[in-house]
Amino acid sequence: MAYLGPRLGPSRVFLSGVSALRLLSSAGMDDMGLAMSRSSLERLEFDNVALKKLPLDPSEEQGVRQVKGACFSRVTPQPLTKPRFVAVSHQALALLGLDGEEVVNDPLGPEYFSGSKVMLGSEPAAHCYCGHQFGQFAGQLGDGAACYLGEVKVPSGQDPELLRENPSGRWEIQVKGAGLTPYSRQADGRKVLRSSIREFLCSEAMFFLGVPTTRAGSVVTSDSRVIRDVYYNGHARHERCSVVLRIAPTFIRFGSFEIFKPADEFTGRQGPSYGRDEIRGQMMDYVIEMFYPEIQQNYPDRVERNVAFFREVVLRTARLVAQWQCVGFCHGVLNTDNMSILGLTLDYGPYGFMDRFDPDFICNASDNSGRYSYQAQPAICRWNLVKLAEALAPELPPDRAEAVLEEYLDLYNRFYLENMRKKLGLLKKEDPEDEIMITKLLQTMHNTGADFTNTFRSLSLISCPTEENSEGEEDSVKKATDLLIEQCASLEELKAANKPTMDPRDLAMLLSMAQSNPTLFQMISDRATIARQLERLSKLKDLMETTQEELKTKQAEDWTSWITQYRKRLARELEGQSDVQAVQEERVRVMDSTNPRVILRNYIAQNAIEAAENGDFSEVQRVLKVLEKPFSSQPGLELPAWVGGGGTSAEGERDEGEEQQQEATTSMARNPVPYDSKPPAWAHEICVT
């Protein structure tokens, strides 16, 4: 299984003494002093199987080009000026047998982990893949900024349980932002501090939440600069080039198999390796043998093997998106090239965790149609699986693939309900009405503008009706209602949330066009988008006619109704239980280890980014510490580092636009909020594209 869950503590991942023994046994006494003096990064043992098993581009031509008949192209990472660490993840680096402190103190660490220097045994390459982007086949895409460095052998002493989850015995490492590749298209192959910090923090946050994900070992910044127009509004500025070290069993994705696609009937584009069907077979053999060895062993018939492989990918994808929904995570760009063949969360771009619950939540400001909204994710993942099945044909017979795809919805619902029952503390019985109660909970959260994460976290504080409970039912329900009302939105917040995102004149024009010229209307908009705008207008009209007191009364009524139903369901959990106290304690324990106290909200990431852009990396490091224990209270880590002067400046570096950034950071520091609170008022202004 490629589920990279958080249950492996650092002491279980790598036994440091074994590394020294291995080194002593493999090096002669004359070489021992030299070996021990080398950087630990120079002692990493590479075995780059992907480059041996899959076709490699024979051309060494520089620049962007179509790459035919190959899965990888050799590249040369472009060095950065004065690379230095922003932060490292000790637990992620432990996968490679590395000690985080040793890496941080290694003068060559930032050089190697930015691609500025190439480690012995590393073979830098870029992966060729295609993809359906926003529903349209885009042709060749590939690693435009990421660079495969190689596959590091799992060090001796790594936990056997982890080896079952990564049966290949190797960890692929990449640097993202190391410069141009044949797949960079019109870009420069660089990443900046903003995007690098976001990817680093979220990769690790998802791991510690228990969600399958690629990992991030470090983020490095530099004095090299690129020009970026953040909001595409003509106000470009210089930003520091930065690089993330990414770790996974493999970064092969759905789109990796789309390089064989014939000309698309809508876009006319085709995969660069169209007609090279033998490579598809090679890729499937490689992926199944390396990462699904049990399937390889149990299915001697090739067709049956391929069907079993696809069924496992469907299962892992259904499980993954169910976990996203249950933590309020929205990926933002669920193109086929961003879907892992191992069922991992892959490529962290304009992602977002929901604050106020909204099924139509869109985290990517570029997603005007809402194709990748929160509630659309399960269906979009199935759509992507359909495209994967098409890409695997004829190795995967279409009729067999269709039958497997029929299983997806039931799998998703099963995983979703299983997770939701844990979040609600429903552990002893599976009531047929649980699904209705969960739906009503989400409807109540939506109607009241309740915070998704904090509302679920608060549920373990709601008492369970027992004979020993001296509190009356009415008092218990009122106490629970008051608790959840604290997580609801104010009138002004709801007005802001329901303000249409489309100019009223444009909306009126599109409504008229939908009637007079439906063909033209379908070319520039869609009915779902217009319906969402009209719904917002309707809600806003109602809110304009409501007072804060009326709103709070309505919110209390909604929550009282649901809490009454919930407490009755909790009472049924106790039926037939001899030790009620033990059941209660187990319920709270499971809920508090399933519903996080802290998630990586956009404003938390933004605070860390702005501090780092002003030369202070301590907030990135602090946020990482908080995210490493998302279910626990951490005394001393409740607030950002600068509250009380906790921040420290790193080398005094300053980006252009320092005055504006410093002013923004100062304004946030005047009104700090704890990491586990609802977001501050300014958070809704953050725009991620």
Side-chain angles (χ1 to χ4, degrees):
M1 302 289 281
Y3 179 99
L4 308 184
R7 56 189 176 277
L8 304 165
S11 62
R12 297 179 62 199
V13 172
F14 179 67
L15 305 179
S16 57
V18 178
S19 175
L21 289 172
R22 176 164 54 88
L23 190 62
L24 285 168
S25 64
S26 61
M29 292 300 292
D30 292 340
D31 299 327
M32 188 176 68
L34 175 63
M36 294 301 287
S37 67
R38 286 161 58 195
S39 161
S40 60
L41 304 182
E42 294 171 342
R43 298 196 298 269
L44 288 177
E45 191 175 355
F46 284 88
D47 183 15
N48 306 322
V49 176
L51 301 189
K52 300 170 189 173
K53 295 267 190 180
L54 299 176
L56 192 58
D57 178 14
S59 172
E60 295 187 7
E61 178 187 347
Q62 298 297 307
V64 175
R65 65 182 189 277
Q66 283 281 300
V67 175
K68 300 180 179 180
C71 297
F72 287 92
S73 302
R74 294 196 186 277
V75 297
T76 303
Q78 297 167 287
L80 296 175
T81 303
K82 287 185 64 179
R84 51 203 174 275
F85 282 122
V86 175
V88 304
S89 168
H90 293 248
Q91 290 213 32
L93 292 179
L95 296 172
L96 310 177
L98 294 172
D99 178 89
E101 285 301 323
E102 189 177 340
V103 170
V104 168
N105 294 321
D106 186 340
L108 295 177
E111 300 268 356
Y112 284 132
F113 281 174
S114 66
S116 299
K117 286 185 183 295
V118 177
M119 289 173 275
L120 184 66
S122 171
E123 297 181 77
H127 179 40
C128 181
Y129 53 82
C130 294
H132 281 79
Q133 299 193 321
F134 286 87
Q136 302 296 318
F137 186 65
Q140 178 179 291
L141 299 170
D143 287 335
C147 173
Y148 163 105
L149 293 181
E151 297 157 63
V152 176
K153 282 188 175 182
V154 168
S156 300
Q158 194 154 97
D159 193 286
E161 191 170 357
L162 189 58
L163 294 179
R164 282 196 295 273
E165 295 172 349
N166 176 17
S168 72
R170 300 177 312 282
W171 293 103
E172 180 180 330
I173 59 173
Q174 286 188 348
V175 281
K176 186 173 181 179
L180 289 167
T181 77
Y183 313 106
S184 296
R185 290 170 283 169
Q186 290 79 38
D188 53 24
R190 292 299 193 190
K191 294 296 177 182
V192 296
L193 204 49
R194 288 178 290 108
S195 58
S196 299
I197 288 173
R198 280 176 56 83
E199 172 140 18
F200 172 77
L201 288 176
C202 200
S203 299
E204 294 305 280
M206 293 290 270
F207 168 75
F208 290 106
L209 285 170
V211 180
T213 179
T214 59
R215 302 294 301 277
S218 66
V219 58
V220 171
T221 194
S222 71
D223 283 353
S224 301
R225 309 259 183 167
V226 288
I227 296 177
R228 292 288 186 267
D229 185 351
V230 183
Y231 300 114
Y232 309 106
N233 59 4
H235 296 98
R237 64 183 177 99
H238 285 90
E239 296 191 61
R240 294 184 184 276
C241 294
S242 304
V243 175
V244 176
L245 177 78
R246 307 203 299 181
I247 306 169
T250 182
F251 286 87
I252 289 176
R253 54 204 68 208
F254 290 11
S256 302
F257 293 93
E258 292 188 292
I259 62 174
F260 314 105
K261 181 176 168 56
D264 185 79
E265 61 178 313
F266 298 107
T267 66
R269 301 186 182 99
Q270 71 177 32
S273 294
Y274 169 62
R276 299 292 303 274
D277 289 354
E278 76 282 1
I279 300 177
R280 182 194 291 110
Q282 278 183 264
M283 289 181 66
M284 291 189 72
D285 289 345
Y286 170 74
V287 169
I288 297 171
E289 288 171 12
M290 292 297 109
F291 309 107
Y292 296 89
E294 290 185 3
I295 291 175
Q296 179 69 23
Q297 293 163 11
N298 294 337
Y299 294 89
D301 180 82
R302 186 175 184 86
V303 170
E304 295 304 320
R305 181 202 70 166
N306 294 347
V307 171
F309 159 65
F310 184 62
R311 176 174 283 111
E312 181 65 18
V313 174
V314 168
L315 180 145
R316 293 187 187 196
T317 302
R319 180 177 61 197
L320 177 67
V321 69
Q323 289 178 274
W324 288 349
Q325 301 304 96
C326 288
V327 295
F329 175 78
C330 197
H331 184 283
V333 200
L334 279 178
N335 301 325
T336 56
D337 54 290
N338 293 333
M339 297 283 294
S340 163
I341 203 67
L342 300 184
L344 309 176
T345 313
L346 175 69
D347 287 349
Y348 292 92
Y351 66 82
F353 284 88
M354 270 196 301
D355 295 320
R356 177 183 50 80
F357 177 71
D358 180 2
D360 291 321
F361 172 63
I362 300 170
C363 60
N364 179 1
S366 304
D367 184 8
N368 297 319
S369 69
R371 177 181 175 83
Y372 298 141
S373 69
Y374 168 79
Q375 70 173 349
Q377 289 185 136
I380 285 295
C381 285
R382 188 190 184 283
W383 191 92
N384 289 339
L385 285 164
V386 170
K387 294 303 168 187
L388 174 62
E390 292 173 1
L392 295 178
E395 289 277 348
L396 176 68
D399 60 326
R400 301 293 300 277
E402 188 174 344
V404 172
L405 284 166
E406 290 299 315
E407 302 169 14
Y408 173 82
L409 186 58
D410 285 342
L411 284 169
Y412 167 77
N413 284 334
R414 190 184 87 205
F415 288 127
Y416 180 79
L417 275 173
E418 184 181 296
N419 287 333
M420 276 293 181
R421 283 193 172 104
K422 288 181 181 177
K423 292 174 76 69
L424 292 173
L426 308 178
L427 312 176
K428 301 299 179 182
K429 301 182 189 303
E430 291 188 4
D431 194 313
E433 295 183 3
D434 287 349
E435 193 168 352
I436 297 171
M437 188 176 68
I438 291 166
T439 300
K440 188 175 178 184
L441 167 62
L442 296 176
Q443 288 174 342
T444 304
M445 290 171 67
H446 187 210
N447 293 342
T448 61
D451 186 90
F452 183 86
T453 300
N454 290 359
T455 297
F456 273 108
R457 182 70 182 188
S458 299
L459 294 182
S460 66
L461 300 175
I462 295 178
S463 63
C464 187
T466 63
E467 292 179 3
E468 293 80 11
N469 192 343
S470 59
E471 220 172 23
E473 176 65 15
E474 189 175 332
D475 289 340
S476 296
V477 170
K478 184 180 186 308
K479 182 184 287 186
T481 299
D482 292 343
L483 178 71
L484 296 184
I485 284 290
E486 292 177 15
Q487 301 304 330
C488 295
S490 68
L491 181 60
E492 292 307 311
E493 287 171 334
L494 286 175
K495 285 179 181 177
N498 286 285
K499 185 178 179 182
T501 55
M502 189 180 292
D503 186 287
R505 291 167 296 185
D506 293 339
L507 181 58
M509 179 196 71
L510 288 171
L511 285 169
S512 174
M513 186 184 297
Q515 298 295 323
S516 61
N517 194 337
T519 303
L520 180 59
F521 170 78
Q522 289 178 358
M523 292 173 63
I524 60 177
S525 188
D526 61 86
R527 295 189 181 278
T529 299
I530 299 302
R532 280 195 299 272
Q533 296 297 316
L534 292 174
E535 185 181 3
R536 281 172 173 258
L537 273 175
S538 175
K539 286 184 177 178
L540 183 61
K541 179 177 179 294
D542 291 341
L543 289 167
M544 297 298 287
E545 298 170 356
T546 302
T547 66
Q548 178 63 44
E549 290 72 23
E550 290 171 336
L551 176 67
K552 193 167 183 179
T553 299
K554 180 65 170 65
Q555 290 173 335
E557 290 172 356
D558 288 348
W559 278 116
T560 296
S561 173
W562 185 82
I563 290 166
T564 301
Q565 180 186 1
Y566 178 52
R567 280 171 51 81
K568 288 178 181 177
R569 176 63 180 85
L570 289 179
R572 290 200 294 276
E573 285 284 291
L574 302 179
E575 292 174 357
Q577 300 295 323
S578 58
D579 191 340
V580 171
Q581 182 66 26
V583 173
Q584 296 270 43
E585 290 173 357
E586 182 190 9
R587 167 185 163 248
V588 171
R589 179 184 58 79
V590 170
M591 292 178 74
D592 285 350
S593 62
T594 306
N595 296 315
R597 291 182 75 254
V598 179
I599 53 169
L600 183 60
R601 298 180 190 263
N602 268 341
Y603 85 90
I604 294 175
Q606 188 64 22
N607 278 345
I609 289 165
E610 293 190 3
E613 287 181 332
N614 285 295
D616 179 0
F617 302 154
S618 66
E619 183 62 12
V620 178
Q621 298 157 9
R622 186 180 183 87
V623 168
L624 177 62
K625 284 183 181 178
V626 172
L627 296 173
E628 285 176 343
K629 296 181 179 178
F631 303 101
S632 307
S633 175
Q634 298 189 66
L637 290 176
E638 297 90 350
L639 289 161
W642 60 76
V643 179
T648 58
S649 179
E651 304 185 26
E653 54 187 304
R654 290 288 181 268
D655 282 343
E656 289 188 1
E658 173 194 349
E659 294 82 4
Q660 292 91 332
Q661 292 167 359
Q662 188 64 49
E663 182 180 337
T665 302
T666 302
S667 68
M668 294 169 202
R670 288 194 203 108
N671 186 28
V673 296
Y675 294 121
D676 63 354
S677 76
K678 290 198 300 179
W682 57 267
H684 78 274
E685 298 174 4
I686 297 173
C687 177
V688 184
T689 61

